[in-house]
């Protein structure tokens, strides 16, 4: 195994090569889009519910205890920026397959790290927000849903980025590999 190692690669294991049939790339792209839509729909649902939250039934003078505020949006924005950065990177640059400058490989890998760091920070921020803002205060389930929606948004954005990365890495229907 070690004798087959290419010194240009970062990891010992190559990028995954999944075979989903003739339309594998299309399926992956649509699945990533569905995960992206589900992620944002979940959080927007919580934000809309929070904006229209009413006081408890029978007690009109008591306002709702918590709302979705700007701080709740920040983890999703970080994950979204990380997803965009990751998927804007040319995959051949990361592998070092193209014949550009060696600095381009280093910069592409740096941007990949920054993208994943933004996504990990978004996930960590949403989990800490869930615990510190919603769970520790002991709010009712209808209010803790805001925090759970935030975490699920970030998880779905991360899954969407991974699925899109793998789908873009898959060979298309009309790609040919010519080897001598």
């Amino acid at each position: 195994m070690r004798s087959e190692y290419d010194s240009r690669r970062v990891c010992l294991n190559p990028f995954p090569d999944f075979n989903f049939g003739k339309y594998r790339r299309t399926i992956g792209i649509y699945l990533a889009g569905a995960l992206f839509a589900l992620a944002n729909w979940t959080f927007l649902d919580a934000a809309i519910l929070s904006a229209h939250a009413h006081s408890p039934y029978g007690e009109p003078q008591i306002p709702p205890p918590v709302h979705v505020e700007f701080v709740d949006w920040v983890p999703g924005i970080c994950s979204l920026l990380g997803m965009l950065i990751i998927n804007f990177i040319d995959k051949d640059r990361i592998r070092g397959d193209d014949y550009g400058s060696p600095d381009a490989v280093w910069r592409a890998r740096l941007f990949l790290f920054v993208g994943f760091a933004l996504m990990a920070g978004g996930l960590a921020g949403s989990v800490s927000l869930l615990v510190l803002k919603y769970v520790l205060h002991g709010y009712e389930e209808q209010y803790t849903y805001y925090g759970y929606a935030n975490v699920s948004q970030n998880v779905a954005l991360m899954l969407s980025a991974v699925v899109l990365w793998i789908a873009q890495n898959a060979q298309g229907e009309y790609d040919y590999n010519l080897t001598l």
Side-chain angles (χ1 to χ4, degrees):
M1 177 71 181
R2 194 71 164 150
S3 63
E4 299 170 11
Y5 177 71
D6 184 8
S7 63
R8 296 177 298 168
R9 291 190 10 212
V10 176
C11 301
L12 287 175
N13 298 328
F15 287 111
D17 185 25
F18 295 111
N19 186 9
F20 291 116
K22 185 177 178 181
Y23 300 107
R24 62 188 169 269
R25 192 174 193 162
T26 306
I27 291 170
I29 291 171
Y30 280 119
L31 180 62
L35 283 169
F36 180 81
L38 179 69
N40 291 314
W41 175 80
T42 303
F43 183 71
L44 286 176
D45 179 55
I48 291 168
L49 280 174
S50 170
H52 296 287
H54 298 289
S55 41
Y57 183 73
E59 300 174 2
Q61 68 276 13
I62 300 175
V66 68
H67 286 286
V68 172
E69 298 168 347
F70 179 73
V71 73
D72 295 294
W73 289 81
V74 172
I77 293 170
C78 286
S79 289
L80 182 64
L81 286 175
M83 180 183 177
L84 289 174
I85 289 172
I86 288 169
N87 287 300
F88 280 153
I89 297 172
D90 184 18
K91 309 311 182 263
D92 292 334
R93 297 259 177 171
I94 293 172
R95 289 189 201 115
D97 290 345
D98 61 346
Y99 297 104
S101 70
D103 291 338
V105 175
W106 179 82
R107 280 183 274 142
R109 290 177 181 167
L110 177 68
F111 272 90
L112 184 67
F113 174 76
V114 168
F116 276 113
L118 278 169
M119 290 181 67
L123 181 64
S126 66
V127 169
S128 62
L129 196 66
L130 168 69
V131 171
L132 294 175
K133 186 175 178 181
Y134 298 105
V135 173
L136 287 180
H137 290 281
Y139 294 131
E140 296 177 24
E141 186 176 332
Q142 70 185 33
Y143 301 116
T144 57
Y145 168 70
Y146 306 155
Y148 290 124
N150 200 337
V151 172
S152 66
Q153 176 198 25
N154 285 285
V155 168
L157 281 175
M158 289 181 92
L159 288 174
S160 174
V162 169
V163 168
L164 188 58
W165 176 276
I166 291 172
Q168 288 177 343
N169 193 39
Q171 295 177 353
E173 179 182 355
Y174 299 107
D175 289 346
Y176 297 104
N177 287 329
L178 299 175
T179 57
L180 298 175

